[in-house]
Amino acid sequence: ARLPNEMAAAAKAADDRLALELSSLRAAQADASRSIIADRDALRAQYLDAADARAAADAKAVALTEELAAARIEAADAEAGAAAARQALAVAEAQAKEAVEAVDTDAQRLLAATRGEAAALAAELDRARGAVLAA
């Protein structure tokens, strides 16, 4: 009678140890599951942060590309404006040169005409003197 009781007690003790070990293993499995879930969530958050950073970097790259294109257009416009100004200056210089030459030619003609008139007046004055002296 003692042997079956001892065997029953030993079986009960073994069963208790197995139940305790199973409980411990289940707790460890739950801890591992929570750790895996936490790691997965952290990785997901890191991925989302990286995706946001990439989107921001892409947006900034697009904005900088647009600014560069606008600056190139402005530079081309400024260059075209400078070329037009140089051309206008060349035309104005040519017109000024022509005007100076025309004024110089007119002044020489006027001077020649004035000298001719002065010579004619001097000759007339000489004739008038001669007439006054003769009279």
Side-chain angles (χ1 to χ4, degrees), residues 18-98:
L18 285 176
L20 184 63
E21 195 163 323
L22 181 61
S23 174
S24 175
L25 286 174
R26 284 186 178 152
Q29 181 184 15
D31 288 345
S33 292
R34 282 190 293 273
S35 177
I36 289 169
I37 290 169
D39 290 347
R40 185 196 64 205
D41 290 346
L43 288 173
R44 181 177 291 143
Q46 287 175 353
Y47 173 79
L48 292 175
D49 289 346
D52 289 346
R54 169 112 191 247
D58 287 347
K60 186 167 186 164
V62 167
L64 290 174
T65 301
E66 289 172 355
E67 284 181 34
L68 179 61
R72 284 182 178 157
I73 290 169
E74 286 179 28
D77 289 347
E79 199 172 305
R86 284 191 295 274
Q87 185 177 2
L89 179 62
V91 168
E93 286 175 346
Q95 289 174 345
K97 184 178 179 184
E98 288 175 8

